């Protein structure tokens, strides 16, 4: 395939990464957004999303003339061979995906699409959305294709350019093959299927990952009760190729922009066809239970009560390498601590904006000032490199609760502190002479 003319509607994580990476593959890409200020910033090569490699790709695409940013979708799609829909599909009031943004774009561009164009859903959408879009368009000369993304925040560019697989589904096999051809230079395995199957692949994959995380958190709790070490348990599990090593790290729960809404959406999809997806329901319930266990662990470290306790938090983003706070388990824990009357001071390398109920500081050592407990909530490697003796000197208490098992317990103990992880034996501070 030669150069294709592509329009990408939406410039969030998925849209901007899709547009910049398709331009890097040689296609001519126009990215669309409704925010004039954002379009102006992107047109000047200014990327506000914290995503390694993305600013460089945007600048390169602009300089090569293969990437542009505009306001208004109708003009952008007029000469497009393919239109990617990368608009938000957040959790709706009933727990299902809210498709109003998708439907609004379809209504806006429907009669402006050129004959032979393909409308491609890149956003995560419920099964049946491609069929619904086709009905809304009511155009036999425009194909609708499902092409779900599998991008992880913090490694989205690497995931796009080095994918495990490309999934494309459509009622029009020729259109599906054309979309798959956009990625030919990547050399990735390609799954060509029907639209419903392609749409379900994304939900099935994300919900499986959520199950894996809930499972390892439950195993970690079992380790604590049995006196086992989850680090050894997961190492032993990870050597099994049927299980693998990824998504076996216990923590304060899973979150982010995808897993919470996708688990909820798949539960609603299952309900719509009369299927009781008990395994997935238990996955969600276990995630809530894990947050509550972390809160209880912090309360125990504080002496049993959180009211008036000074808590220092390290990490607010839902995972390291991103500034995304959407459904962050760290932020959820912080909010519960505040609701219980704790005085919370937090630091995250990528978060500077003030947050309700807590102080957000730019210096990680400030979270230790007069803190009764310091809690690691996000796995930023910077936290493991802190001077823990200096942290201890600032603290009023003597316990670090490490919900990511990030720190070296011996380093924390040598600083005169106690260390409490998740699924691992508690390490009490060394006795002083």
């Amino acid at each position: 395939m030669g150069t294709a003319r592509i329009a990408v509607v939406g410039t969030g994580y998925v849209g901007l990464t899709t547009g910049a990476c398709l331009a890097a593959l040689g296609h001519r890409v126009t990215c669309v957004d409704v925010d004039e200020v954002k379009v102006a910033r992107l047109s000047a090569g200014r990327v506000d999303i914290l995503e390694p490699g993305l600013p460089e790709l945007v600048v390169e695409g602009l300089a090569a003339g293969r990437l542009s940013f505009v306001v208004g979708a109708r003009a952008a799609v007029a000469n497009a061979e393919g239109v990617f829909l990368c608009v938000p599909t957040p959790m709706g009031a009933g727990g299902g995906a809210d498709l109003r943004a998708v439907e609004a774009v379809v209504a806006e561009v429907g009669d402006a699409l050129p004959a032979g164009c393909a409308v491609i859903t890149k956003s995560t959408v419920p099964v049946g959305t491609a069929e619904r879009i086709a009905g809304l368009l009511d155009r036999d000369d425009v194909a609708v294709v499902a092409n779900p993304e599998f991008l992880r925040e913090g490694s989205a560019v690497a995931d796009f350019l080095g994918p495990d697989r490309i999934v494309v589904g459509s009622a029009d096999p020729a259109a599906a093959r054309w979309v798959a051809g956009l990625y030919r230079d990547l050399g990735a395995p390609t799954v060509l299927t029907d639209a419903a199957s392609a749409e379900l692949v994304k939900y099935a994959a994300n919900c499986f990952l959520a199950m894996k995380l809930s499972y390892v958190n439950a195993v970690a709790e079992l380790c604590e009760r049995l006196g086992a070490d989850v680090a050894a348990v997961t190492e032993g599990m990870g050597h099994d190729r049927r299980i693998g090593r990824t998504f076996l790290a216990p923590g304060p729960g899973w979150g982010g922009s995808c897993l919470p809404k996708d688990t909820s959406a798949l539960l609603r999809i299952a309900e719509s066809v009369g299927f009781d997806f008990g395994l997935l329901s238990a996955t969600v319930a276990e995630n809530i239970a894990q947050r509550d266990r972390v809160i209880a662990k912090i309360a125990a470290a504080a002496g049993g009560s959180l009211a008036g306790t000074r808590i220092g938090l390290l990490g607010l983003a839902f995972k390291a390498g991103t500034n995304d706070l959407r459904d962050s388990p760290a932020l959820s824990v912080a909010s519960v601590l505040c609701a219980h009357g704790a005085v919370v001071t937090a630091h995250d390398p990528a978060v500077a904006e003030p947050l309700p109920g807590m102080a957000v500081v730019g210096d990680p050592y400030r979270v230790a000032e007069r803190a009764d407990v310091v809690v690691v909530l996000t796995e930023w490697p910077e936290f493991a490199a802190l001077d823990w003796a200096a942290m201890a000197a600032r603290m009023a208490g003597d316990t670090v609760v490490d919900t990511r098992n990030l720190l070296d317990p011996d380093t924390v103990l040598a600083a005169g502190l106690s260390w409490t992880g998740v699924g691992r034996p508690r390490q009490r501070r060394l006795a002083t002479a």
Side-chain angles (χ1 to χ4, degrees):
M1 171 181 288
T3 299
R5 299 184 304 277
I6 303 295
V8 176
V9 183
T11 61
Y13 271 100
V14 173
L16 188 57
T17 301
T18 297
C21 288
L22 286 174
L25 292 176
H27 304 298
R28 301 188 68 86
V29 182
T30 301
C31 291
V32 181
D33 205 284
V34 296
D35 187 333
E36 294 183 5
V37 174
K38 187 177 185 181
V39 166
R41 290 176 63 82
L42 289 170
S43 297
R46 300 176 66 181
V47 176
D48 295 326
I49 296 173
L50 181 60
E51 194 61 53
L54 187 56
E56 292 81 0
L57 280 188
V58 169
V59 170
E60 290 170 9
L62 290 168
R66 294 191 301 268
L67 182 63
S68 60
F69 298 91
V70 301
V71 176
R74 285 182 64 84
V77 307
N79 296 309
E81 297 171 86
V83 177
F84 281 84
L85 304 183
C86 301
V87 294
T89 54
M91 190 187 303
D98 185 342
L99 295 179
R100 284 180 293 181
V102 171
E103 293 170 352
V105 173
V106 171
E108 180 183 357
V109 305
D111 62 353
L113 296 167
C117 178
V119 173
I120 307 147
T121 55
K122 181 64 81 171
S123 302
T124 303
V125 294
V127 178
T129 299
E131 185 178 0
R132 175 167 175 73
I133 290 174
L136 292 172
L137 288 171
D138 193 24
R139 290 187 54 176
D140 293 336
D141 60 345
V142 173
V144 181
V145 180
N147 175 216
E149 53 85 15
F150 301 96
L151 307 178
R152 298 167 297 166
E153 291 186 35
S155 60
V157 170
D159 290 341
F160 192 104
L161 297 178
D164 293 327
R165 76 290 204 193
I166 303 294
V167 177
V168 185
S170 179
D172 184 334
R177 288 192 297 271
W178 182 84
V179 172
L182 297 173
Y183 306 96
R184 185 168 296 139
D185 290 347
L186 299 180
T190 301
V191 178
L192 290 174
T193 184
D194 59 277
S197 297
E199 290 164 341
L200 186 54
V201 166
K202 176 59 185 291
Y203 283 111
N206 271 2
C207 291
F208 181 82
L209 296 176
M211 289 181 192
K212 199 171 179 182
L213 289 170
S214 283
Y215 180 79
V216 78
N217 281 334
V219 169
E221 175 65 14
L222 194 58
C223 285
E224 292 187 11
R225 298 190 184 202
L226 295 175
D229 189 333
V230 74
V233 173
T234 55
E235 181 182 3
M237 292 170 62
H239 284 291
D240 189 325
R241 288 172 293 178
R242 298 168 302 174
I243 297 173
R245 297 177 180 274
T246 59
F247 281 74
L248 283 182
W254 43 263
S257 61
C258 293
L259 297 190
K261 74 180 184 68
D262 290 353
T263 49
S264 178
L266 188 55
L267 283 171
R268 301 292 86 74
I269 292 168
E271 288 175 5
S272 72
V273 292
F275 176 60
D276 180 8
F277 204 155
L279 184 59
L280 187 54
S281 296
T283 295
V284 174
E286 171 59 32
N287 195 46
I288 296 170
Q290 180 67 3
R291 183 202 63 186
D292 293 343
R293 287 194 288 262
V294 166
I295 296 294
K297 195 182 294 283
I298 296 169
S305 174
L306 290 168
T309 301
R310 301 185 68 89
I311 306 291
L313 302 184
L314 292 171
L316 291 168
F318 89 94
K319 72 172 186 176
T322 177
N323 57 356
D324 197 344
L325 296 174
R326 289 176 291 179
D327 279 302
S328 167
L331 193 57
S332 178
V333 169
S335 298
V336 174
L337 293 174
C338 292
H340 281 80
V343 179
V344 176
T345 302
H347 166 79
D348 189 289
V351 178
E353 65 265 30
L355 295 171
M358 70 192 80
V360 179
V361 297
D363 182 353
Y365 291 96
R366 286 185 58 191
V367 307
E369 295 289 349
R370 293 184 294 152
D372 297 297
V373 183
V374 168
V375 185
V376 177
L377 287 171
T378 309
E379 72 281 20
W380 287 98
E382 293 94 320
F383 298 154
L386 291 173
D387 181 343
W388 281 94
M391 293 285 284
R394 290 166 168 79
M395 291 177 62
D398 65 359
T399 301
V400 176
V401 177
D402 184 0
T403 72
R404 299 285 186 168
N405 294 341
L406 173 72
L407 310 179
D408 176 8
D410 289 340
T411 299
V412 176
L413 265 61
L417 298 170
S418 296
W419 179 88
T420 298
V422 175
R424 304 196 67 190
R426 183 183 182 192
Q427 304 291 317
R428 297 188 181 276
R429 68 191 183 106
L430 300 174
T432 55

